[in-house]
Amino acid sequence: MTALADREWRLITDEVRDGPTQMALEEIAARTAIEDGVRTVRVYSWEPSTLSLGYRQEAETVDWEFCERNGIDVTRRQTGGGGIYHDRHADISYTIVAPADEVPGDLMDCYALFCEPILDAFERMGVDADFAGTEQSSIYKPSCYLRDINPAHDIVAPASDTTRARKISGNAQYRQRDVVIQHGSLSYDREPTRHVGAFDTELETETFTDRVTSIRQESGIDREEAVETLSAALGDWCDAANGGWRKGELEDARELAARKYGADAWIRNRQVPDAPER
């Protein structure tokens, strides 16, 4: 438990939702933290399968025909980095939302604080994981799991064997309206054909499996247990009460998803249509 535990937090173990709605909910949680003083930690899954692009990633790096053929939606995150393939089985995602004045102003210190429950969750799952001990050069920058590995926020396993250590989790932050939002992806299982195929590249799937490992591969626990373990670690970290989205939050998230995160203008060009007048 951290010093953040003396504030009001809610833990949301969310139902599966489409990618644009998942991204919109982060903005809504940021507004709730500022306006109502309720901070959020949550664990969630994606359906349909979704490729989330990094903020500055070029749309030309996507194999749009492959995604359409395989039922993979595309959205764009607020955070930088490369694209990540998500689905309701191979990926487990989380979000932490807190006011900026309550957390370290230094980016690296904030990463260290917000990744505490993630590393704790891996330990509870029986996965030997930690921040990467050394940088690794990029193989393919448009893909989060194949770009350079940064010891500040990339987690590898098995951490005790540097010769075999491979990426198992990527984490990223952004600040919006005086709120810090961190989200990340934990690799529960590997989907190399879909992950590589979603990009406009001729890379072999072995390139992905040589660089990436998974919870299933490292510990063998089932996905439901992994989700429960991550939720418990996040909740214990900030002493969060079990909660859920308010009706108004969900309604606003759906509107924002349709206007921004599901719109071609944002996905392909980072353009945000004006919000309707209230």
Side-chain angles (χ1 to χ4, degrees), residues 99-117:
D101 60 4
E102 297 177 355
V103 302
D106 179 80
L107 179 63
M108 297 302 100
D109 289 343
C110 196
Y111 267 127
L113 175 63
F114 279 13
C115 285
E116 283 180 7

Side-chain angles (χ1 to χ4, degrees), residues 15-132:
E15 62 186 76
V16 295
R17 303 181 194 275
D18 62 88
T21 301
Q22 297 292 26
M23 294 296 92
L25 282 167
E26 294 187 345
E27 286 203 40
I28 301 305
R31 186 188 67 190
T32 297
I34 288 294
E35 296 180 356
D36 300 335
V38 179
R39 300 139 195 85
T40 300
V41 287
R42 71 168 179 139
V43 180
Y44 60 100
S45 301
W46 310 64
E47 190 176 64
S49 301
T50 303
L51 178 66
S52 69
L53 304 181
Y55 178 73
R56 298 191 180 280
Q57 185 172 345
E58 296 296 331
E60 290 74 19
T61 61
V62 178
D63 187 332
W64 295 95
E65 290 185 1
F66 178 92
C67 290
E68 183 175 359
R69 197 165 59 245
N70 289 276
I72 301 172
D73 283 358
V74 181
T75 188
R76 185 180 292 273
R77 307 188 305 272
Q78 291 278 11
T79 51
I84 307 176
Y85 168 77
H86 311 270
D87 63 29
R88 68 175 301 167
H89 173 72
D91 173 273
I92 302 173
S93 294
Y94 77 90
T95 306
I96 300 172
V97 181
D101 60 4
E102 297 177 355
V103 302
D106 179 80
L107 179 63
M108 297 302 100
D109 289 343
C110 196
Y111 267 127
L113 175 63
F114 279 13
C115 285
E116 283 180 7
I118 310 309
L119 293 172
D120 178 35
F122 279 126
E123 183 177 1
R124 297 185 191 194
M125 294 178 201
V127 177
D128 173 23
D130 204 345
F131 289 117

Side-chain angles (χ1 to χ4, degrees), residues 166-220:
R166 291 173 288 176
K167 187 168 180 176
I168 196 169
S169 175
N171 309 276
Q173 283 185 21
Y174 66 102
R175 296 185 179 229
Q176 184 178 68
R177 293 186 63 199
D178 300 319
V179 174
V180 175
I181 301 168
Q182 177 167 308
H183 56 199
S185 168
L186 282 66
S187 171
Y188 173 72
D189 204 354
R190 297 181 297 183
E191 286 282 359
T193 300
R194 285 171 153 282
H195 194 113
V196 173
F199 297 97
D200 187 15
T201 176
E202 298 299 322
L203 285 174
E204 299 293 331
T205 56
E206 289 77 9
T207 304
F208 183 82
T209 54
D210 287 346
R211 186 64 170 257
V212 180
T213 188
S214 68
I215 295 167
R216 184 179 182 185
Q217 186 172 10
E218 297 296 324
S219 74

